[in-house]
Amino acid sequence: MRITQTTLQKMVENNEKFTVLTCYDAIFATMLENAGIDVLLVGDSLGNVLHGESTTLGVTLDNMIYHTRCVARGSSKAFIMADMPFGSYQVSPEQAFENASKILAAGAHMVKIEGGQIMADTIRFLTQRGIPVCAHIGLTPQSIHQLGGYKLQGDSEKSAKQLLDDAKILEKAGAGLLVMEVVPAKLAKKITHTLSIPTIGIGAGIHCSAQVLVLHDMLGLYPGKKPRFIKDFMASAKNIQEAVTNYVTAVKTGQFPSEEHEF
Ligand code: KIV
């Protein structure tokens, strides 16, 4: 049976963590869900890992539709979430609806959009019209030039309060899930305990309802210096299947992320 947003919500209510990995093609979709991954995220990180770009800004709507279709063809069990790329949703709620509907038509069950309370009207517009939305706060890679680099967010009292306020407003606007990227574990814990919707952490510590990593990163395919929050699950596995299964077990049993991966 297909995992739905309701399944994820129930898992969290039963204190069961769920697992997310990015996925960009059919063969990995089948493999990841057979290894126990609950959510496949067609991330715009494909701009980095597949296209070799240094940012996600060049990823197009057509790229996202194409990769979502590939993932959907290989998947029969997982919940499929897909990023809305930069420039495809920021202009207006109407623009977001027009583009999100194409991503859903390609096979996604939910779209993910980056940004804080400025995105509340758009989230309300989409969810009231049948498009489930995951919000994404903290380190939002599409704002990289504004953030001034890939660095910790919410590390001052003021910015932590801003993120907590954002999270509450986005939940109220209708977001069904919330990704928190590279924020202090203590703040992610507070946000997770404040919201009723599941939170998904990447570099956000152990207390989130779920964890996500970029597939290539957790398979050790990271060029250059590995950021603190990534664990290479391939290092101790004999094949990819085993690495993914070990990730699933580590997340579900609360062994990943450990202190060495958090801020
Ligand atoms: O695009 C992506 O891979 C993401 C995750 C890092 C959360 O948004």
Side-chain angles (χ1 to χ4, degrees):
M1 240 191 16
R2 178 74 75 177
I3 293 173
T4 64
Q5 200 183 327
T6 314
T7 323
L8 301 175
Q9 184 74 41
K10 283 206 175 116
M11 283 169 87
V12 171
E13 283 161 16
N14 293 333
N15 285 324
E16 192 189 333
K17 294 198 183 270
F18 64 87
T19 54
V20 189
L21 278 179
T22 67
C23 183
Y24 317 107
D25 63 30
I27 194 88
F28 266 111
T30 310
M31 204 270 223
L32 298 184
E33 63 179 26
N34 285 343
I37 295 294
D38 300 304
V39 180
L40 302 173
L41 168 62
V42 189
D44 61 355
S45 51
L46 66 86
N48 305 105
V49 294
L50 302 188
H51 300 169
E53 302 276 2
S54 59
T55 72
T56 56
L57 299 176
V59 175
T60 64
L61 182 64
D62 283 345
N63 292 153
M64 294 311 300
I65 291 170
Y66 171 79
H67 286 281
T68 300
R69 204 170 275 138
C70 295
V71 168
R73 284 199 197 108
S75 162
S76 62
K77 294 189 276 230
F79 186 67
I80 302 174
M81 183 155 88
D83 266 321
M84 296 201 67
F86 181 63
S88 73
Y89 62 94
Q90 290 91 344
V91 175
S92 65
E94 288 80 1
Q95 181 214 21
F97 185 87
E98 204 171 315
N99 292 327
S101 63
K102 292 179 185 154
I103 295 178
L104 251 60
H109 306 128
M110 177 179 258
V111 294
K112 176 163 81 59
I113 68 180
E114 296 184 7
Q117 40 193 283
I118 189 75
M119 285 300 144
D121 285 345
T122 298
I123 292 178
R124 195 171 302 109
F125 192 89
L126 295 181
T127 53
Q128 285 179 345
R129 286 160 181 77
I131 299 187
V133 179
C134 173
H136 180 159
I137 61 171
L139 201 176
T140 45
Q142 292 176 12
S143 308
I144 194 64
H145 298 310
Q146 202 167 41
L147 298 177
Y150 294 96
K151 54 189 183 200
L152 183 65
Q153 303 297 310
D155 51 345
S156 68
E157 207 177 308
K158 189 169 167 228
S159 61
K161 183 180 176 314
Q162 175 75 57
L163 287 178
L164 176 61
D165 290 347
D166 283 346
K168 288 193 228 168
I169 289 168
L170 297 174
E171 175 181 55
K172 197 154 173 242
L177 297 173
L178 176 76
V179 166
M180 292 187 279
E181 181 164 354
V182 189
V183 299
K186 206 170 134 207
L187 173 63
K189 180 180 181 183
K190 186 165 182 192
I191 292 177
T192 300
H193 290 165
T194 303
L195 303 189
S196 333
I197 58 169
T199 61
I200 305 173
I202 173 163
I206 187 64
H207 297 286
C208 299
S209 323
Q211 297 293 326
V212 60
L213 283 176
V214 169
L215 174 65
H216 295 61
D217 294 350
M218 60 81 72
L219 292 178
L221 299 170
Y222 191 89
K225 190 173 174 291
K226 190 162 63 70
R228 180 183 174 91
F229 60 86
I230 296 175
K231 176 169 174 176
D232 174 3
F233 283 85
M234 207 48 205
S236 58
K238 55 177 187 303
N239 55 37
I240 294 176
Q241 185 96 28
E242 187 177 297
V244 176
T245 306
N246 289 346
Y247 168 72
V248 170
T249 307
V251 171
K252 299 238 180 217
T253 58
Q255 289 165 53
F256 176 78
S258 60
E259 264 177 30
E260 67 183 290
H261 305 113
E262 67 182 37
F263 300 96

